[in-house]
Amino acid sequence: LEHLKNDPEDDDEDGSNRRLGHHLTKEETEAKIAALKAKQQLLRDEEAKLDADEAGLLEEKSTVQQSVIDRAKSLITDLMAQDEAVKHALQTCLRTKINAEKEVETAKEEKEAVCSKVKSTAEAMKEAENDVRKVDEFLKSALGRKLRGGSGKSGKG
């Protein structure tokens, strides 16, 4: 606009400027130019305000993003802690199961040992019963011989 104001070739004889499309006097043109400059300044001020708003929004966006990132990190940390707790619980369950299986195996071995002892004791009792029966038969036989008159040995010498 400054070049329009200062270019005398564009001025008509009465001082108006043809380029503006109006037949304005130099004072009117200068007033229009001043008004346009003021409007330009308002637009620059508005642009600066919008830039500041944009910067504020970008800062707010950054804050929101950081908040979201912090929340996500917190959730991840919580999940990791929960996973660790589940892992620990599973390890405890596994150890308990392994110990229970060992105890069952030990109990089976002890049962087998007791059964074996019971079996050998039962066999020993059968043998003892047989021995008692044999001794009983021998005593009955010996008693019967004695009652019948002798032991089969003579007292004579």
Side-chain angles (χ1 to χ4, degrees):
L1 291 177
E2 197 60 41
H3 73 280
L4 295 177
K5 175 180 152 188
N6 297 326
D7 193 354
E9 291 179 16
D10 290 334
D11 290 346
D12 286 337
E13 293 164 10
D14 65 352
S16 64
N17 192 305
R18 286 190 310 265
R19 276 204 184 165
L20 290 175
H22 303 289
H23 293 291
L24 301 174
T25 65
K26 225 176 189 121
E27 291 78 23
E28 290 171 330
T29 302
E30 287 174 356
K32 285 251 186 212
I33 290 171
L36 288 173
K37 281 184 178 180
K39 190 170 186 178
Q40 254 185 341
Q41 186 58 45
L42 285 174
L43 289 173
R44 276 197 282 275
D45 292 348
E46 187 63 25
E47 182 181 27
K49 183 178 179 275
L50 290 173
D51 286 346
D53 288 350
E54 180 183 22
L57 288 173
L58 288 174
E59 185 177 325
E60 188 176 323
K61 176 184 173 189
S62 174
T63 302
V64 168
Q65 284 175 334
Q66 189 59 47
S67 173
V68 168
I69 288 169
D70 291 346
R71 180 67 180 136
K73 285 180 180 177
S74 174
L75 289 172
I76 288 170
T77 301
D78 290 350
L79 287 173
M80 288 172 63
Q82 289 173 2
D83 283 353
E84 192 62 31
V86 168
K87 180 178 134 191
H88 179 71
L90 288 174
Q91 287 173 337
T92 300
C93 287
L94 182 60
R95 279 193 300 273
T96 302
K97 179 180 183 264
I98 289 170
N99 289 340
E101 287 173 348
K102 286 179 182 176
E103 288 178 17
V104 166
E105 190 61 35
T106 301
K108 283 181 182 177
E109 290 170 1
E110 289 173 357
K111 176 187 167 195
E112 288 174 11
V114 167
C115 287
S116 176
K117 285 180 183 177
V118 167
K119 188 176 179 183
S120 65
T121 301
E123 288 173 3
M125 284 177 67
K126 280 184 184 177
E127 287 178 23
E129 286 175 0
N130 276 342
D131 290 349
V132 166
R133 191 177 37 78
K134 287 179 185 176
V135 167
D136 192 41
E137 288 173 6
F138 172 77
L139 288 176
K140 284 180 184 175
S141 163
L143 183 61
R145 279 192 304 263
K146 184 152 186 141
L147 291 174
R148 281 190 305 252
S151 63
K153 292 184 181 178
S154 66
K156 303 173 190 169

